[in-house]
Amino acid sequence: MFSAKSKQIYDVCGVRLPLDILAKSWNAAILLELELVPAGTLELHRSITPKISKRILSNQLNELEQLGVIGRKIVPETNLKIEYELTPRGVEIVYILKQLQLWSDKHNKHLLKNAE
């Protein structure tokens, strides 16, 4: 998941790891969807579609699960349906994501104006 070089970078600048997790394709959208309610792959695909492919969604879910940000559980009442949900670590990173969104809402207009 992470190369030896990226692990060295994270040792020097620890804030890069959560930023890289949030910046990776679709992770923010997936995490925000799971904050609302645990969901299966199909529900996530429908809520994020038409832009995300099933393959990319599956890859991102696996990576987020390996990082311990989301968990997977089997819902026994439903033909062994798999649902994903935020772990306590995931709840914390969603809080960070929402704080970034608040900052963005407050400052983006000014920053974009100055960038012209």
Side-chain angles (χ1 to χ4, degrees):
M1 184 174 347
F2 297 110
S3 68
K5 184 176 181 178
S6 64
K7 287 181 182 179
Q8 289 174 343
I9 292 169
Y10 298 141
D11 285 343
V12 173
C13 183
V15 75
R16 292 249 341 239
L17 180 56
L19 290 174
D20 286 352
I21 291 169
L22 291 174
K24 191 149 188 188
S25 275
W26 302 106
N27 281 358
I30 292 167
L31 293 170
L32 290 173
E33 287 295 325
L34 290 176
E35 182 201 24
L36 302 173
V37 64
T41 306
L42 186 58
E43 292 92 355
L44 285 169
H45 187 258
R46 285 181 184 153
S47 65
I48 302 173
T49 294
K51 297 175 179 84
I52 190 169
S53 74
K54 289 179 182 179
R55 182 182 62 80
I56 296 293
L57 176 60
S58 179
N59 289 345
Q60 294 313 107
L61 289 170
N62 287 332
E63 187 173 307
L64 289 168
E65 186 179 12
Q66 288 176 1
L67 290 167
V69 176
I70 64 173
R72 178 171 40 165
K73 67 178 181 179
I74 296 175
V75 181
E77 303 85 35
T78 62
N79 278 344
L80 303 177
K81 176 184 173 187
I82 295 174
E83 281 189 343
Y84 294 91
E85 61 188 353
L86 294 177
T87 62
R89 188 178 296 162
V91 171
E92 289 179 23
I93 202 163
V94 167
Y95 174 79
I96 293 167
L97 180 59
K98 288 186 162 196
Q99 293 302 306
L100 286 170
Q101 183 62 53
L102 290 172
W103 188 90
S104 172
D105 292 344
K106 184 176 180 180
H107 298 289
N108 273 8
K109 193 173 193 177
H110 174 76
L111 293 171
L112 292 172
K113 182 179 177 184
N114 287 342
E116 294 175 348

